[in-house]
Each structure stands twice: as C-alpha cells, then as structure tokens.
C-alpha cells in the first residue's frame, strides 16, 4: 500500500498562483483589466471556431447540422473580435457582467456548504461562508453602482483572487485537498 501525502499539491499550486495574480492585480489594476478582456476575446474566438467546426462535422455526417451551433459560433467570433478591437468597450462589458458572475459564483459556493462542513469541519465551513457572503455583498454593490464597479473592479478582482488563493491553500492542507 502506498503512503500518500495529505497535502493537495494541485490546490497548493493553484492557491499560490491565485495569490500572486491577486497581488499583481493590485499593483497594475488597469493592466489586469485589459488582460482579462484580451483573454476573454481570445476565448470567445476559440469557442466560436469550435462551434462552427461542430456544425460542419455534424453536417458532413448526418446531412444537417445544429443551426444553433452555427449561430452561436458566428456570434462568439464576432464578440471575440469586438473585444480584441475595442478593449475599452470590453472593459465596460466586463464591468457589467463581472458582478453577475460574482453573485452566481458565490451562490454556487454557498450551496456546497453542507458538503464542506462534512468533509472539512466547521473552521473551513465558516471561512467559506464568510468569503462568499462578502462576495455576494460586493456583487450586489457593483450591480447597483456601475461607476463604483468600473473604478473598483480590478481591486475587487485582486481581493477576490487573494481570498480564493487562501481558500485553495486551506483546501490543500485540509481533508478536502487530500487524495485518497
């Protein structure tokens, strides 16, 4: 029988990377926002190409392709090109969509609390609860005050990345990060 380390190495590496990325975001907030928009633009183009390839392959094999795949592929490519050619407009779009993602992500994490309590105990449970309640509050503040969101989104992203990094570090040393 192999003796395995209780340390979750994947979670440890992701946690350290998130903390470093969060610190860099604090140092260069405008660069971080530009980088995020750029990455989203590239991902949108890649996703669009993938959808169109799916359409073509299905058309070739079955004689008809899923039209929705073709339409979403074209729209994704257009959105990606738009983001890459208009970084400033992409920042505004990010400012509008980021709070919605923030809220949904925090709600999803809150739904996992019973499993977290069972597997990791009450300390990690309360940490996750507090981090995600703070995330919900920040998300709603950004939804109801878009100008505040525009000027603070990089700092909120940096703060949240650091919290998520800490969350992953805690997972790495807890039973959640242990490989069985």
């Amino acid at each position: 029988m192999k003796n395995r380390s209780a340390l979750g190495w994947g979670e440890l590496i992701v946690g350290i990377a998130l903390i470093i990325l969060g610190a860099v975001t604090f140092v260069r907030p405008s660069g971080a926002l530009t980088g995020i928009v750029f990455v989203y633009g590239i991902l949108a183009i890649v996703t669009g190409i993938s959808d169109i390839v799916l359409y073509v392959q299905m058309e070739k094999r079955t004689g008809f392709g899923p039209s929705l795949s073709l339409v979403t592929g074209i729209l994704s490519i257009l959105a990606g090109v738009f983001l890459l050619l208009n970084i400033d407009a992409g920042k505004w779009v990010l400012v509008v969509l980021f709070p919605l993602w923030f809220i949904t992500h925090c709600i999803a994490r809150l739904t996992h609390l019973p499993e977290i309590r069972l597997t990791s105990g009450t300390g990690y449970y309360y940490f996750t609860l507090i981090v995600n309640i703070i995330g919900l509050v920040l998300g709603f503040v950004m939804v109801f005050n878009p100008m505040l969101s525009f000027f603070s989104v990089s700092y909120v992203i940096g703060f949240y990345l650091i919290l998520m990094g800490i969350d992953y570090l805690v997972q790495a040393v807890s039973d959640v990060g242990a490989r069985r």
Side-chain angles (χ1 to χ4, degrees):
M1 184 169 166
K2 263 190 190 178
N3 188 8
R4 294 188 181 188
S5 170
L7 186 64
W9 287 102
E11 289 85 359
L12 180 69
I13 292 168
V14 169
I16 291 170
L18 286 172
I19 290 171
I20 291 170
L21 189 59
V24 169
T25 301
F26 275 114
V27 173
R28 294 189 40 96
S30 64
L33 196 54
T34 301
I36 291 169
V37 171
F38 185 76
V39 168
Y40 277 130
I42 290 173
L43 289 174
I45 290 172
V46 169
T47 303
I49 291 170
S50 170
D51 286 345
I52 292 172
V53 167
L54 172 71
Y55 172 80
V56 170
Q57 287 177 344
M58 291 297 290
E59 177 76 29
K60 202 183 294 184
R61 291 189 179 143
T62 63
F64 62 92
S67 299
L68 185 60
S69 181
L70 179 63
V71 171
T72 58
I74 292 169
L75 290 175
S76 290
I77 290 172
L78 290 174
V81 169
F82 172 78
L83 288 174
L84 292 176
L85 295 178
N86 299 303
I87 297 288
D88 290 333
K91 289 179 185 179
W92 277 103
V93 169
L94 183 65
V95 165
V96 171
L97 294 179
F98 182 73
L100 298 177
W101 170 80
F102 217 70
I103 291 167
T104 57
H105 175 75
C106 290
I107 290 171
R109 293 286 292 171
L110 288 171
T111 63
H112 295 101
L113 284 176
E115 291 85 12
I116 290 172
R117 178 176 262 169
L118 287 175
T119 59
S120 300
T122 57
Y124 184 58
Y125 168 84
Y126 285 116
F127 177 77
T128 303
L129 177 68
I130 291 168
V131 165
N132 287 289
I133 289 173
I134 291 170
L136 277 175
V137 171
L138 288 173
F140 281 111
V141 166
M142 288 187 294
V143 164
F144 291 115
N145 193 345
M147 287 306 291
L148 174 68
S149 179
F150 182 74
F151 291 113
S152 66
V153 72
S154 292
Y155 295 110
V156 171
I157 290 170
F159 177 71
Y160 196 68
L161 286 171
I162 290 172
L163 283 179
M164 290 300 295
I166 294 169
D167 187 30
Y168 273 92
L169 291 178
V170 171
Q171 281 183 28
V173 297
S174 72
D175 289 338
V176 173
R179 302 286 178 236
R180 298 172 195 219

